[in-house]
Amino acid sequence: MGEFNVHRVRFFNYVPSGIRCVAYNNQSNRLAVSRTDGTVEIYNLSANYFQEKFFPGHESRATEALCWAKGQRLFSAGLNGEIIEYDLQALTIKYAVDAFGGPIWSMAASPSGSQLLVGCEDGSVKLFQITPDKIQFERNFDRQKSRILSLSWHPAGTHVAAGSIDYISVFDSKSGSAIGKMLVDRQYMGVSKRKCIIWGVAFLSDGTVISVDSAGKVQIWDSATGTLVKNHLVSNADVQSIAVSAQEDSFVVGTAEGTVFHFQLVSVTSSSSEKQWVRTKPFQHHTHDVRAVAHSPTALISGGTDTHLVIRPLMEKVEVKNYDAALRKITFPHRRLVSCAKKKQLLLFQFAHHLELWRLGSTVATGKNGDTLPLSKNADHLLHLKTKGPENIICSCISPCGGWIACSTASRFFLYRLNYEHDNISLQRVSKMPVFLRSALQILFSEDSTKLFVASNQGSLRVFRLLEGGFTHLHSFQPQSGTVQSMCLLAVSPDGNWLAASGTSAGVHVYNVKQLKLHCTVPAYNFPVTALAIAPNTNNLVIAHSDQQVFEYSIPDKQYTEWSRTVQKQGFHHLWLQRDTPITHISFHPKRPMHILLHDTYMFCLIDKSLPLPNDKTLLYNPLPPTNESDVIRRRTAHAFKISKKYKPLLFVDLLDEKTLVAVERPLDDIIAQLPPPIKKKKFGT
Amino acid sequence: MADLEEGFTLTAVPLGSGPDGPLGVEQSDKTDQFLVTDSGRTVILYKVSDQKPLGSWSVKQGQIITCPAVCNFQTGEYIVVHDNKVLRIWNNEDVNLDKVFKATLSAEVYRIHSIQGTEPLVLFKEGAVRGLEALLAEPQQKIETVISDEEVIKWTKFFMVFRHPVLIFITEKHGNYFAYVQKFNSRILSKYTLLLGQEEKCVIQSFSTSVGRKFISLMSLTSDGCVYETLIPIHPSEPEKNQRLVQSQLLKSVVSGSARSGAALSILDQDHVAVLGAPRPASKECLSVWNTKFQTLQTSKELPQGTSGQLWYYGENLFMLHGKFLTVIPYKCEVSSLAGALGKLKHSQDPGTHVTPHFVNWETSQGCELGSQNSEQSKRILRRRKIQVSVQPEVPASTQLLATIQKDSEKHIEVELRKFLATKRTPDFHTIIGDVVIGLLGRCKAEPSFYPRNCLMQLVQTHVLSYSLCPGLMEVALEKTDVQILQLCLQQLPDVPESVTCACLKLFLSIGDDTLQDADINMESVSDYMDPVQDGEMEEQTTFLQNGFNPEEDNCDSCAQKLKEKPQAAADESTSCPLTPKRAALLNAILCSAYSETFLLPHLKDIPAQHSTLFLQYLYFLYLKCSENATMTLPGTHPPTLNQIMDWICLLLDANFTVVVMIPEAKRLLLSLYKFVKSQISICSELNKIEVSFRELQKLNQEKNNRELYSIEVLELF
């Protein structure tokens, strides 16, 4: 297959933000995750845990609570005192409503989904009615003396438990009056702590209230009498989160030490029907605070300060013992944060609030496999571009010639012109943005850097012609009538004739850029698209899906190619299908049309379509063959998938030219080093 | 899929039989053992899995065995007939067939039949049948003739239909076949004429039967190579009348008609038959398995050295003659699926299927409970039915045991319990054991004289009990001062509450030595470091200097001066155990049990000062023993660990410090304890320092790696 010089880049100083809330929706089997920077991500658990949507964060909008209501509507509330509803189709914020109670610490949707309850800093609990297009304030519950940190509805909707500081209140949801108060012991191991914060409450249908608090206790209360039934001391540090299964036979709590405990309702003896909550399984998948947990019918989901989203299947609930029964740890976003100007060897890194432009170094030396070559020129940090305003960057792109940079936040679109004069670089913002160009979900430049393609929120695709110092709007492809499907992924053919775009769930549309019309739609497939690319010369569209299938579709012929049919007939290697991160980028070898480069977080793969496909008996991940083996054997064992797992975790891989690869790595240790230190546990002399 | 496995030869020596093959292969009363009767004079008992003979018996020269030997399943004896009329009965111990029981009968015997569950039957050549017992009572009794002249018995089989023995035999007369079915519950003999389906007469070569719900299915292999099935009603409508039965063709041309030595047929199961014979006139003989439902050949095995046209099928083994050797081919038929039949059972070969790791399912006990509830429910239904039809329902063993506990004597309970424990463990075994213990304890409370010590010991040793399953057990043992049970409980139960642990501790410290003398205590944990003769005093003082700890080393304070005054005494005190080994073993059980300090401390305060000093002395002694070797462990099996010892010292001192400090005899002990705590603290602080330095080193190491933020490497993709 040949030798490559690999630019191994580890200076992309990307740190994902910590997870603050998770909310599981049983109806659609989707998981909403909010992070400390205000970003909200939607994972589709049915589609191989693919992160199919995201809403960019906002500096002043720290989410403290997240919940699904009325079926598929998603709400969040935060310390800025606003309740926000998200538009899951257009991927924008629908509206924000101020609750006028100071920072909001907690939120809960009623079991019927028609009412929303928020707990505020000033001790008020406010009830909102969910109307078809908005929410409307209805009533205040009896005011408490300190902030309401947690809320839980009784499954029948008649009562509400609210966790505050040092006590839990029980409200009648009809009248809004407090009918009970349960005081929580401040004492911890005989030492009186200052305060006991009730981080989470859960109301069960038999009237039991479960609370978790900052003294490390999980307490089970009888809400009717207000008495403590059982006390489990699970941690020396805070217990920060709780989630109960829909059947109310098990619940999960997360602690500040990174431990997640599973509790189950187990019968005490064989003869009696009496059941008891028993702490059954501890899991330690986190190093830092577990801020949020969720309980799906088959798995425990947890996330926290260490930025990992961990999905731990419950083995007794998993029916098919396949790869779905494995533990999932999701750390990196399932979208591209790096773009590359191949000719100029430039890399553009996207952070939450700024962009960084780097120029790769060079070498004149040559070496054999495994060598690290001496650098004749090191990589340069050319540019640090900070966006104005509190909003996070949604997407960014650099043109293949390196002369343009575009990026977008939720309300502003930025386009810059770059001029290179020897080692000096000058940057000029293109002003006079058209009014309709406010924000973009995806930006792409054509191969010759003369056109700019922008996918905007309402499903429209806009084409601009770039001129020296300005640009003109050429055309706008409108979505088919009746759909408000946002396009998230774009690909343009190197000859500039074709543009492919894929939305969050609908199929891939291919547009003819010359004639400015829709050319065809690729047959729909069950799983969302994770990456798209159009091959040079042949104009074959390569599509990767979240179930790890890869299709090749000939745009001129409007049908799947012969190779793609062969692959589908034979099936992918089982190890290929078992990879647990999606393919986030596809590119092609500039000289060899048979080669496709794809990568996910833990490997990159060069597919040589001329070689036979591997079957389940062949080794997918080829180890290096010993040098003394003859070419015959090597040729016999060779198959189409040339995989390297040398660089990981990978955020980006591309072919700069036929002999050069660039691989952007982000070692986990570097991320951990930038997190706050975890709670220290003394090993000796305790 | 039906499958023939690799066969093996049973007899190393060829049978002296010639081409006729053996007379018969019959099951013996032990599984895996078979009686092979030679057509000459010999009967051999084989163990098939070992492929070796266990016994061999021969009749005298000049005599000839005429009927294969069988085993009487009721007595375990073997029966054989030689010279048509002479019956011999013997067992494994007998060597010479001439000296065993002999009975001469008045008519010629065709075959003796013996199957499990009923007495052997003797079928005479004239068609009469007698039970063995009745025959032996009067051997010379008159035997009537059942079948007509020139009628010859060709084949016979004996089996049970709904617990009633049924004998079927086929006779032939001038090419016509007749089937006789003798039922012994009603003593009815039914006769049927078998009508062959095809025009030309052909010879039936082999028969086999299987029993269904209403019919006996008789399969026959004819000389034209086809298999026919005849259904014989089990309950004939008109038993006395001669009825005709039509044969229907089941399989066609399974063997070639002109086989040299005949063909044989055996029903394997509902859908499968084994056929022995040559499939084509010229080919070698084969053993083949056919599926009668789909009429397909499932598998076959070539027998190149020829066979005799005899086939026996018992259990999972097919017996046949191959060349001159008796060969066994195991046969297996696994549950087949459509995919399996089409040869596409893909997942079984899929290398990607992962074996799920073992995990504890907390819901199993719930599931079992549900199951038991269900069974209870069904039992109730059964009981209701019992009133109507008085059917005895089967009571589960655990319920029986619980009933036994309520009324029977201690001895009887013990026996029953042993029986119960020997049976297979069900998933809810632990809850049943818990119920049993609670039942026993309940009776203990009711009857003060009742104390089933052995039973309780056995139950605790099942390793499935926990304190919460049988809350009263330790209280009762404490009441009876049964230290042995207490020790066991402390070792086996994972969740003994601290108050009970402490009560045990008090008892162990206060119990008199003479009482302990009689108790049978497990000394495992102390045997290696404590000799009952107490030769500790002989030990060298230097032995405990290895850990760097020396009570004489003056690094502490002026108080140590006092120690110096009587170094020898101090040494004595520290090296000799302050307790008897039995008491030490009991205390070790306490040290090894689980506890939480918060709950233990208040109870420890109640221990009298003398006892706590004694216990402290013992702990100190253990600590010194620990320090003797480099690994800081005590010898022996399951000794207390250093951590446990230290924790208990701390706990005891925390609880009783003000008292202990006032007792003069504890003073020296406290001083030495103070010293070793000091040394421990310094060790720990050093360890913490080392940990921090290592972390710094690690950080440096990481930084070194991270410094290479950018490099160009060469990578070759193969």
Side-chain angles (χ1 to χ4, degrees):
Chain A
M1 185 55 81
E3 273 188 353
F4 294 96
N5 278 1
V6 183
H7 291 263
R8 185 175 195 171
V9 173
R10 279 187 277 192
F11 45 69
F12 181 22
N13 194 12
Y14 169 75
V15 182
S17 34
I19 291 174
R20 180 60 196 91
C21 317
V22 294
Y24 173 72
N25 186 326
N26 200 6
Q27 268 179 33
S28 58
N29 199 24
R30 279 179 171 77
L31 185 75
V33 174
S34 79
R35 295 186 181 263
T36 46
D37 66 349
T39 309
V40 173
E41 295 159 354
I42 313 271
Y43 291 84
N44 187 346
L45 302 194
S46 311
N48 223 358
Y49 307 91
F50 180 61
Q51 180 191 320
E52 57 178 16
K53 293 168 191 176
F54 86 101
F55 300 91
H58 192 283
E59 256 174 3
S60 67
R61 225 171 46 207
T63 49
E64 278 294 321
L66 191 67
C67 71
W68 297 89
K70 209 101 189 193
Q72 312 276 326
R73 289 170 71 175
L74 182 67
F75 295 88
S76 82
L79 298 184
N80 61 355
E82 286 178 343
I83 305 168
I84 293 165
E85 182 174 358
Y86 296 90
D87 185 334
L88 295 174
Q89 291 302 316
L91 304 187
T92 50
I93 286 165
K94 228 182 201 170
Y95 55 84
V97 171
D98 198 319
F100 297 107
I104 298 173
W105 289 97
S106 54
M107 178 167 63
S110 69
S112 63
S114 59
Q115 287 168 316
L116 204 60
L117 209 57
V118 293
C120 304
E121 172 74 15
D122 63 357
S124 62
V125 177
K126 292 167 191 285
L127 184 71
F128 286 84
Q129 197 72 35
I130 302 175
T131 57
D133 49 357
K134 226 177 165 182
I135 55 170
Q136 198 168 18
F137 175 73
E138 191 159 304
R139 187 174 52 245
N140 267 325
F141 281 12
D142 285 0
R143 177 100 160 244
Q144 302 301 305
K145 65 176 191 285
S146 53
R147 62 174 71 142
I148 305 295
L149 288 144
S150 48
L151 282 170
S152 175
W153 286 80
H154 186 274
T158 52
H159 292 84
V160 171
S164 182
I165 292 167
D166 287 336
Y167 68 90
I168 303 160
S169 305
V170 179
F171 295 98
D172 183 287
S173 60
K174 282 260 159 28
S175 64
S177 55
I179 55 168
K181 190 171 180 178
M182 296 177 280
L183 283 176
V184 180
D185 193 3
R186 284 186 178 188
Q187 293 237 321
Y188 167 70
M189 298 282 286
V191 185
S192 183
K193 268 194 157 184
R194 225 156 37 86
K195 271 172 185 170
C196 184
I197 303 161
I198 314 297
W199 285 119
V201 285
F203 217 136
L204 306 187
S205 39
D206 62 351
T208 303
V209 171
I210 306 168
S211 71
V212 296
D213 60 39
S214 61
K217 300 192 291 277
V218 174
Q219 293 184 315
I220 294 157
W221 306 82
D222 183 346
S223 69
T225 56
T227 48
L228 180 63
V229 179
K230 186 108 182 154
N231 181 17
H232 292 272
L233 187 68
V234 298
S235 169
N236 287 331
D238 297 30
V239 185
Q240 292 183 315
S241 45
I242 178 170
V244 184
S245 72
Q247 286 81 34
E248 299 189 356
D249 59 351
S250 88
F251 70 88
V252 55
V253 300
T255 74
E257 286 168 328
T259 321
V260 168
F261 291 102
H262 188 206
F263 283 74
Q264 279 173 284
L265 196 59
V266 175
S267 55
V268 188
T269 54
S270 67
S271 46
S272 73
S273 62
E274 188 194 340
K275 290 196 169 186
Q276 205 176 321
W277 286 105
V278 177
R279 186 171 79 185
T280 53
K281 286 170 241 150
F283 300 112
Q284 181 90 44
H285 298 302
H286 296 274
T287 52
H288 291 66
D289 304 34
V290 179
R291 297 295 298 272
V293 288
H295 197 309
S296 84
T298 56
L300 306 181
I301 301 157
S302 56
T305 314
D306 62 359
T307 76
H308 304 295
L309 178 67
V310 174
I311 298 161
R312 174 70 169 77
L314 294 170
M315 300 307 282
E316 62 266 31
K317 298 277 169 61
V318 179
E319 278 163 18
V320 192
K321 310 286 186 208
N322 61 6
Y323 202 66
D324 272 348
L327 172 81
R328 293 286 177 118
K329 209 168 189 175
I330 301 169
T331 311
F332 296 102
H334 293 162
R335 61 180 194 276
R336 206 142 52 86
L337 299 174
V338 181
S339 53
C340 171
K342 290 184 186 178
K343 286 170 201 154
K344 282 243 156 63
Q345 304 219 328
L346 299 172
L347 287 179
L348 181 73
F349 299 139
Q350 175 190 327
F351 294 83
H353 291 108
H354 71 272
L355 301 172
E356 277 182 16
L357 186 66
W358 290 73
R359 182 186 298 151
L360 294 174
S362 59
T363 182
V364 288
T366 52
K368 59 178 199 301
N369 186 26
D371 285 355
T372 302
L373 302 175
L375 298 174
S376 57
K377 192 160 87 57
N378 208 337
D380 284 335
H381 185 182
L382 298 179
L383 203 64
H384 183 102
L385 198 62
K386 194 150 172 31
T387 57
K388 296 184 187 78
E391 291 169 327
N392 285 10
I393 297 172
I394 302 174
C395 57
S396 64
C397 193
I398 185 167
S399 67
C401 67
W404 301 88
I405 288 176
C407 71
S408 171
T409 67
S411 64
R412 295 179 79 178
F413 187 88
F414 301 91
L415 182 66
Y416 300 94
R417 179 72 180 145
L418 288 161
N419 285 306
Y420 303 88
E421 283 157 19
H422 308 294
D423 278 350
N424 292 329
I425 179 164
S426 64
L427 180 81
Q428 192 190 0
R429 167 126 193 247
V430 178
S431 51
K432 291 182 290 182
M433 283 289 142
V435 188
F436 54 81
L437 194 56
R438 294 273 304 279
S439 95
L441 289 173
Q442 189 66 261
I443 307 167
L444 191 68
F445 289 95
S446 66
E447 198 74 5
D448 55 2
S449 304
T450 58
K451 287 199 177 78
L452 170 68
F453 305 99
V454 176
S456 70
N457 284 334
Q458 298 306 320
S460 58
L461 276 173
R462 297 182 192 281
V463 186
F464 298 91
R465 186 196 305 279
L466 295 169
L467 305 162
E468 197 58 44
F471 69 116
T472 52
H473 181 224
L474 276 184
H475 184 72
S476 170
F477 294 108
Q478 290 303 329
Q480 282 147 306
S481 57
T483 56
V484 217
Q485 188 68 54
S486 295
M487 293 296 159
C488 303
L489 289 167
L490 294 177
V492 66
S493 67
D495 59 13
N497 285 340
W498 309 103
L499 175 70
S502 138
T504 46
S505 61
V508 180
H509 302 288
V510 181
Y511 299 94
N512 188 325
V513 180
K514 287 266 149 64
Q515 297 170 9
L516 298 174
K517 64 166 195 181
L518 181 70
H519 176 67
C520 62
T521 300
V522 179
Y525 187 67
N526 293 343
F527 287 87
V529 179
T530 66
L532 277 180
I534 300 173
N537 307 325
T538 57
N539 282 330
N540 286 340
L541 174 65
V542 179
I543 310 165
H545 289 277
S546 72
D547 63 343
Q548 313 296 4
Q549 297 288 345
V550 177
F551 295 98
E552 194 188 40
Y553 183 83
S554 168
I555 294 175
D557 298 345
K558 296 192 188 179
Q559 62 177 10
Y560 287 113
T561 63
E562 204 47 51
W563 181 78
S564 186
R565 287 170 202 273
T566 316
V567 170
Q568 287 307 314
K569 216 173 283 166
Q570 192 181 326
F572 281 93
H573 194 277
H574 68 276
L575 289 177
W576 176 268
L577 296 175
Q578 283 171 5
R579 292 176 305 112
D580 60 359
T581 50
I583 286 168
T584 49
H585 182 54
I586 301 171
S587 74
F588 301 93
H589 197 284
K591 290 283 154 63
R592 295 180 209 153
M594 297 303 274
H595 289 186
I596 308 171
L597 176 83
L598 328 104
H599 82 90
D600 67 9
T601 311
Y602 297 104
M603 62 103 216
F604 73 86
C605 173
L606 207 55
I607 298 179
D608 185 346
K609 290 194 285 179
S610 60
L611 287 177
L613 292 166
N615 60 22
D616 276 1
K617 286 193 190 73
T618 49
L619 220 55
L620 181 67
Y621 305 117
N622 259 348
L624 295 185
T627 45
N628 56 5
E629 253 186 274
S630 66
D631 273 1
V632 185
I633 294 173
R634 198 186 276 189
R635 214 168 292 141
R636 200 181 302 147
T637 55
H639 58 72
F641 289 70
K642 311 291 178 189
I643 293 173
S644 167
K645 295 182 131 192
K646 190 178 176 190
Y647 310 108
K648 54 189 175 184
L650 275 174
L651 292 182
F652 182 73
V653 178
D654 208 344
L655 273 158
L656 293 176
D657 54 54
E658 63 259 47
K659 282 273 159 223
T660 318
L661 274 168
V662 59
V664 180
E665 265 185 307
R666 185 61 183 148
L668 281 179
D669 287 344
D670 295 2
I671 295 179
I672 292 165
Q674 299 201 16
L675 296 176
I679 289 176
K680 187 174 179 287
K681 288 185 205 156
K682 222 172 166 188
K683 279 187 185 139
F684 305 104
T686 46
Chain B
M1 280 289 280
D3 191 22
L4 290 174
E5 289 178 26
E6 200 53 50
F8 49 86
T9 307
L10 200 57
T11 44
V13 233
L15 295 162
S17 54
D20 293 335
L23 259 185
V25 178
E26 293 283 348
Q27 279 178 299
S28 87
D29 53 343
K30 294 186 186 67
T31 53
D32 202 26
Q33 294 185 12
F34 294 88
L35 284 166
V36 177
T37 312
D38 190 333
S39 61
R41 302 187 295 127
T42 323
V43 177
I44 306 170
L45 178 68
Y46 281 106
K47 189 168 168 66
V48 166
S49 56
D50 292 355
Q51 301 177 38
K52 69 171 189 193
L54 297 178
S56 167
W57 298 273
S58 296
V59 292
K60 254 199 310 201
Q61 193 93 44
Q63 294 174 338
I64 184 151
I65 297 179
T66 53
C67 161
V70 295
C71 177
N72 183 347
F73 290 100
Q74 289 177 325
T75 59
E77 293 165 315
Y78 306 124
I79 312 157
V80 77
V81 176
H82 61 83
D83 300 313
N84 290 326
K85 283 184 175 177
V86 187
L87 202 67
R88 293 279 186 180
I89 298 176
W90 79 101
N91 61 22
N92 260 330
E93 278 80 56
D94 293 314
V95 182
N96 196 337
L97 272 190
D98 270 336
K99 292 177 181 158
V100 302
F101 176 84
K102 172 182 172 183
T104 309
L105 308 174
S106 60
E108 285 190 346
V109 175
Y110 178 75
R111 181 68 59 93
I112 305 174
H113 281 296
S114 175
I115 53 171
Q116 213 98 35
T118 181
E119 67 156 330
L121 281 182
V122 181
L123 173 66
F124 291 90
K125 282 195 176 162
E126 307 300 324
V129 182
R130 290 286 185 280
L132 185 69
E133 297 298 319
L135 198 61
L136 291 181
E138 199 189 335
Q140 286 297 323
Q141 61 182 268
K142 179 92 176 69
I143 305 297
E144 77 275 17
T145 303
V146 174
I147 55 176
S148 61
D149 280 348
E150 294 178 8
E151 227 181 317
V152 186
I153 298 179
K154 295 301 265 187
W155 179 84
T156 163
K157 172 113 187 205
F158 182 43
F159 43 77
M160 302 290 271
V161 180
F162 304 126
R163 294 194 188 170
H164 297 299
V166 172
L167 180 79
I168 179 166
F169 57 91
I170 312 279
T171 59
E172 191 239 349
K173 186 185 179 183
H174 307 310
N176 292 318
Y177 289 87
F178 302 95
Y180 291 84
V181 179
Q182 170 92 61
K183 290 206 279 183
F184 291 88
N185 57 337
S186 52
R187 298 229 145 254
I188 298 170
L189 179 70
S190 320
K191 184 182 173 183
Y192 302 95
T193 309
L194 299 183
L195 295 180
L196 296 179
Q198 74 281 16
E199 257 125 60
E200 87 236 41
K201 296 259 167 168
C202 49
V203 188
I204 295 180
Q205 291 182 318
S206 179
F207 291 95
S208 186
T209 54
S210 66
V211 183
R213 274 177 160 281
K214 288 182 178 161
F215 294 98
I216 300 164
S217 155
L218 175 74
M219 283 194 199
S220 47
L221 180 68
T222 55
S223 56
D224 60 348
C226 301
V227 176
Y228 291 89
E229 186 182 36
T230 311
L231 295 177
I232 302 171
I234 292 173
H235 305 292
S237 44
E238 293 164 293
E240 301 306 329
K241 220 176 136 191
N242 189 346
Q243 293 174 62
R244 285 156 179 262
L245 291 170
V246 181
Q247 289 191 321
S248 56
Q249 197 176 46
L250 206 61
L251 294 169
K252 214 172 174 179
S253 318
V254 289
V255 287
S256 92
S258 59
R260 180 165 44 91
S261 53
L265 167 85
S266 179
I267 296 177
L268 300 173
D269 56 40
Q270 216 184 335
D271 298 328
H272 293 93
V273 292
V275 177
L276 191 68
R280 283 176 303 282
S283 65
K284 295 257 168 62
E285 280 158 312
C286 271
L287 172 69
S288 35
V289 175
W290 288 78
N291 187 318
T292 54
K293 206 182 207 169
F294 300 113
Q295 299 173 355
T296 49
L297 178 66
Q298 296 283 307
T299 177
S300 87
K301 209 176 195 76
E302 201 172 75
L303 304 166
Q305 293 169 41
T307 178
S308 65
Q310 283 168 296
L311 183 66
W312 293 270
Y313 177 61
Y314 293 114
E316 286 181 344
N317 295 317
L318 282 159
F319 294 79
M320 77 222 67
L321 199 68
H322 183 208
K324 284 185 177 288
F325 299 90
L326 186 65
T327 302
V328 180
I329 298 180
Y331 161 78
K332 272 222 175 80
C333 181
E334 262 138 26
V335 179
S336 55
S337 59
L338 183 63
L342 294 173
K344 268 185 77 175
L345 206 58
K346 197 180 172 191
H347 285 286
S348 65
Q349 314 149 348
D350 188 357
T353 40
H354 288 254
V355 182
T356 32
H358 177 76
F359 64 92
V360 181
N361 188 353
W362 283 77
E363 282 160 8
T364 38
S365 67
Q366 280 170 273
C368 285
E369 187 212 348
L370 280 177
S372 65
Q373 275 174 353
N374 287 344
S375 72
E376 256 175 40
Q377 205 174 6
S378 63
K379 216 187 301 156
R380 228 170 289 135
I381 295 165
L382 273 180
R383 210 166 287 145
R384 213 177 299 140
R385 210 176 287 160
K386 189 175 143 192
I387 303 164
Q388 298 162 356
V389 289
S390 74
V391 179
Q392 185 70 43
E394 204 171 308
V395 185
S398 55
T399 327
Q400 270 178 359
L401 185 61
L402 285 173
T404 313
I405 285 166
Q406 293 312 320
K407 49 184 196 287
D408 286 1
S409 70
E410 217 177 300
K411 264 268 152 37
H412 188 232
I413 294 173
E414 213 178 310
V415 174
E416 285 298 312
L417 181 67
R418 202 165 295 149
K419 266 193 231 160
F420 175 73
L421 292 180
T423 56
K424 203 172 156 230
R425 292 190 175 192
T426 50
D428 58 345
F429 181 71
H430 61 285
T431 53
I432 294 174
I433 292 292
D435 291 343
V436 169
V437 175
I438 287 171
L440 284 172
L441 295 175
R443 196 167 159 201
C444 282
K445 288 204 179 102
E447 298 171 42
S449 60
F450 179 80
Y451 186 59
R453 194 153 174 280
N454 290 334
C455 292
L456 291 175
M457 297 270 279
Q458 269 188 4
L459 287 165
V460 175
Q461 278 164 335
T462 52
H463 298 275
V464 298
L465 273 184
S466 61
Y467 184 86
S468 30
L469 268 179
C470 50
L473 175 60
M474 290 186 79
E475 276 76 1
V476 170
L478 277 169
E479 229 169 75
K480 309 256 179 195
T481 59
D482 188 341
V483 286
Q484 196 186 346
I485 290 247
L486 287 174
Q487 188 197 22
L488 260 182
C489 286
L490 285 168
Q491 285 167 348
Q492 304 283 359
L493 309 188
D495 55 346
V496 180
E498 285 77 1
S499 59
V500 178
T501 314
C502 211
C504 290
L505 176 63
K506 275 184 223 164
L507 176 70
F508 292 166
L509 286 168
S510 62
I511 194 169
D513 274 336
D514 43 341
T515 337
L516 272 184
Q517 221 37 261
D518 306 330
D520 175 27
I521 291 162
N522 181 2
M523 306 277 283
E524 244 182 5
S525 64
V526 291
S527 55
D528 281 352
Y529 62 87
M530 210 175 318
D531 204 346
V533 194
Q534 296 252 338
D535 59 351
E537 285 160 70
M538 308 293 287
E539 243 171 81
E540 285 300 311
Q541 200 185 331
T542 47
T543 49
F544 56 85
L545 288 178
Q546 285 178 5
N547 196 34
F549 174 71
N550 184 354
E552 281 191 294
E553 200 181 305
D554 193 0
N555 60 355
C556 175
D557 48 42
S558 60
C559 299
Q561 291 296 326
K562 278 189 184 171
L563 268 178
K564 269 197 157 179
E565 287 168 20
K566 285 193 271 176
Q568 193 54 50
D572 285 352
E573 191 176 282
S574 50
T575 48
S576 69
C577 180
L579 301 172
T580 60
K582 282 196 172 175
R583 202 187 295 274
L586 290 174
L587 289 177
N588 281 355
I590 298 246
L591 293 184
C592 295
S593 63
Y595 63 88
S596 162
E597 324 185 355
T598 332
F599 302 115
L600 191 61
L601 268 176
H603 299 288
L604 281 179
K605 290 199 167 98
D606 304 340
I607 297 179
Q610 251 64 36
H611 288 156
S612 55
T613 325
L614 184 66
F615 192 29
L616 268 179
Q617 273 172 356
Y618 174 64
L619 289 168
Y620 183 54
F621 161 78
L622 285 183
Y623 169 73
L624 290 179
K625 277 283 167 194
C626 270
S627 335
E628 274 174 16
N629 57 26
T631 54
M632 304 284 272
T633 50
L634 287 169
T637 49
H638 311 300
T641 63
L642 183 66
N643 273 340
Q644 284 166 337
I645 297 165
M646 299 292 281
D647 288 344
W648 271 95
I649 291 176
C650 298
L651 277 171
L652 265 186
L653 285 176
D654 277 351
N656 299 314
F657 188 72
T658 44
V659 182
V660 173
V661 88
M662 300 300 284
I663 302 172
E665 54 262 40
K667 202 164 188 178
R668 190 162 46 235
L669 179 68
L670 283 181
L671 274 175
S672 18
L673 281 174
Y674 171 69
K675 272 189 173 177
F676 91 66
V677 168
K678 206 171 165 186
S679 68
Q680 286 288 325
I681 289 172
S682 60
I683 286 176
C684 284
S685 73
E686 290 304 314
L687 280 173
N688 279 323
K689 276 184 212 162
I690 292 169
E691 192 200 348
V692 173
S693 337
F694 273 130
R695 191 168 299 155
E696 286 305 312
L697 277 175
Q698 206 179 349
K699 223 179 265 175
L700 281 176
N701 199 22
Q702 267 176 12
E703 272 167 29
K704 203 181 124 201
N705 284 338
N706 288 351
R707 211 172 297 144
E708 289 187 48
L709 286 178
Y710 178 63
S711 58
I712 299 178
E713 293 175 9
V714 181
L715 175 77
E716 192 177 353
L717 281 178
F718 296 102

